[in-house]
Every structure is written in structure tokens, then in C-alpha cells.
Amino acid sequence: MTSIGGVEMVDWNLAVATAIRFARSGPEVSQEEARAAVQELRRHAKASEEHVRAFTRMAPAGGEFADTPVLVVDRAGWVRANVAGFRAVLGPLLDKMQSRRSATPGGAVLGAVGGKVTGVELGMLLSFLSSRVLGQYETFAPASRDLPGGTGGGQLLLVAPNIVHVERELDVDPHDFRLWVCLHEETHRTQFTAVPWLRDHLESEIQAFLGETDVDPATLLERLREAAQSLTGNRPEHPDGGPVERGGRSIVELVQTPTQREILARLTAVMSLLEGHADFVMDGVGPSVVPSVAEIREKFQKRRASGAGRLDQALRKLLGLDAKLRQYRDGERFVRAVVGEVGMDGFNRVWTSPNTLPTKAEIHKPADWVARVHRKAES
């Protein structure tokens, strides 16, 4: 754990404890219902492998998929996995801050705040998110006793209480809904196990983004203050008395440099591709194996597009979750357009190398990607 003078920069254990303490309680289920749900999710996850791989025609170069486990977890399990992932990814940045904190103006302020406050803040964020995630392919968390891993270096997480909660809220067939969710998450696992360079590419981009982080404490505090003002609506004013229009930007948008904006544009394009591809696959496979897929999709889209309330919508905006919703829509349109023009095998050229990934502009103009990747290859 990174620390300075014995003071932890992030108290990871406190982050986990805080998130678990303040996480919403799950749906009321009997022990028998919980056991049945877990068993069914495991069966659906296994069945989804064949469905997804047959539909996508994705396979690693050697023909053998990396072994990555399926973990059916509760909200606490999801929190622990994500804290482990954050800890692995943020390590280099925290080391950088450790070396600079004592020598930078305002460093004493952050030192006084300490890792316990940071741990509580991270825990509160994770408590908010822990009741909203149905599943996740955790790419970066190292294997541990609580989070076993396979040869592929990732874990597929299915958050059972959240899945049960949403299927009840939408009033849809639980068996169909659970398989539908598994199809989406299995697509993510297939993406990373069939494309071995993808994980390293994402990690490289993320570390480049973090490496450009302005770690001057005074600047960081000012940008976080701007983020808080954007949430409350108490924005600063121009010298002429007019308000500064920040467009309701998220925390991620407020605490970045110009170089980070370029990196973030590339990351946004990749995440749009991955999320859109997963949505495209779950809808493509769905009609043949999920009888009520049309009803599920319609109800789920309405739920995804609307927040649970005003506070929920404000938090989604501040945390950048609205951007993630756009990634689903934009990415799915990109995949659908490309497959419609060049077929599934033609689309799968996207997985050839980082150079064949779509740019952020190409996500919105699929024909430009086809022209760059296909026309160039054929000329």
C-alpha cells in the first residue's frame, strides 16, 4: 500500500469497508432462491460461451481461449474486485504522487487529509455504483484467494443481487433476463481472450493517461472544486460578471490536460467499440435463445436511459456515467453499420491491431473506418 511518512495515500481496506457498509441492501430472497439464481447464472455463463463465439466468429490465433473464471458475486464481492483493480492500475500514479507530494506547494494539505479520507470517498463512490452493475469483465485485478483467476488474467463477474433486482423491477422472465445479461458479459470475456493484445493496449493507454496527470495539489484541489460547483450549479463568474459555462462536465473531463484529452478520445473510442459490440451480440444471439428478448430490450433501454431520480441523474452526470450510456448507443450503431456493409468477418478486422481500432470520429462515421481499413488493405 502506497504511503508517505506512514500516512497511507489511499486506505484501500477502509474503501472496501465503507462501500460495503453504505451499499444498498439487495432484494429479499430466500436461501433457496439465492442458491438457484447463482447456479442458473453459472449455467447461462457457460452456455453463452458457445453462443457468443459462434455468432462473433472470434477466436485467438492459436485456437485456444485463455482460461478466465466466472464468479457469481454479491455487491461486496464486486466492491472487493474493483478495489483490487483500482489498486493495480493506480499504483504508478500513487508512486508518482508519493515522490512529489512533500516537495510541492499545498502538499501538506493533502498530507493532512490523508488516505483515510480518500478511502472513505472511494468507498462512498463504490457503494453508489455497487447496486447498479449487473456484470463486469474485470481486466486488471490480480488473482487472490477471494478473487481467483485463470491463465487469461481476468475474471468475469456476475452480480447476482443486482440481476435479480432488475429482473423484478422490469417484470420480465428471470430465466431469459439472466441469459441475456450473460450474453453481454460473455462477449466482453471473448473480446479479451480472443484478442490477446487488447488488455495490454488498454493498460498502456490508461497508464499514459495517468502519467500525464497534473499532480500539483493546488491545481488538483481547484479542479475538484470546479467539479463540485458543476454538480451544485454554483459556478464561478467571468470578470464581467457573467457565469463561466462549463457544460456540466464530469470529474474526468475537469481534471485532465490537453494530452489527456487526446488519450481519453482514444479510450472512449475503444470503450464504445467494446460496449457497442457486446450490445450488438446480445441482440443478435438473443432471438434464437432468449424468447422474450424484444420485451427485455425495450424495458431495459427505458430503464438505462432514465435515472432513478434527480440526485441519481446528477451523480451520473458528474461521474461521467452519461458518457458510458452514449458509448453503448454510438458503439452499437458503429458495429451494426460495419457488419451491414462488410459482414462479420469484415468487421473482425477491427481486432487485428491497435491501428485497426476505430477512432472517436470513426465511431460516428463507420464508413470512414471501412474506407481506411478495407479500402487501404485492398488497394
Side-chain angles (χ1 to χ4, degrees), residues 346-368:
F347 164 79
N348 280 339
R349 288 193 188 181
V350 77
W351 312 116
T352 304
S353 75
N355 293 329
T356 57
L357 291 171
T359 64
K360 188 176 180 179
E362 288 171 341
I363 286 289
H364 298 282
K365 295 183 177 180
D368 289 354

Side-chain angles (χ1 to χ4, degrees), residues 109-157:
V109 175
L110 290 181
V113 172
K116 293 197 178 297
V117 172
T118 307
V120 169
E121 291 171 342
L122 176 59
M124 294 301 295
L125 169 62
L126 290 172
S127 72
F128 170 77
L129 296 174
S130 66
S131 63
R132 287 158 172 77
V133 177
L134 301 183
Q136 173 184 344
Y137 185 77
E138 173 47 56
T139 314
F140 302 110
S144 65
R145 181 173 59 84
D146 296 328
L147 194 68
T151 59
Q155 299 94 8
L156 178 60
L157 309 176

Side-chain angles (χ1 to χ4, degrees), residues 4 148 293:
I4 299 176
V293 65

Side-chain angles (χ1 to χ4, degrees), residues 89 137 139-140 151-154 191-193 195-209 263 267 270 274 353-354 357:
V89 170
Y137 185 77
T139 314
F140 302 110
T151 59
Q191 290 163 348
F192 282 92
T193 54
V195 187
W197 55 264
L198 184 58
R199 179 188 182 279
D200 290 341
H201 173 69
L202 272 179
E203 183 174 21
S204 175
E205 291 280 61
I206 291 171
Q207 291 305 329
F209 181 91
I263 299 171
L267 281 169
V270 175
L274 298 181
S353 75
L357 291 171

Side-chain angles (χ1 to χ4, degrees), residues 40-56 65 70 156 158 175-190 281-282 285-286 289-290:
E40 183 171 34
L41 285 169
R42 286 175 177 157
R43 290 196 304 271
H44 284 333
K46 182 63 178 177
S48 295
E49 291 183 23
E50 182 178 347
H51 296 314
V52 169
R53 293 171 187 179
F55 182 81
T56 63
F65 283 88
V70 175
L156 178 60
L158 297 170
H175 309 292
D176 285 2
F177 184 76
R178 293 168 190 178
L179 177 55
W180 189 71
V181 170
C182 287
L183 290 171
H184 182 102
E185 302 308 332
E186 175 57 36
T187 302
H188 286 317
R189 182 165 66 157
T190 297
V281 171
M282 72 195 299
V285 174
V289 297
V290 182

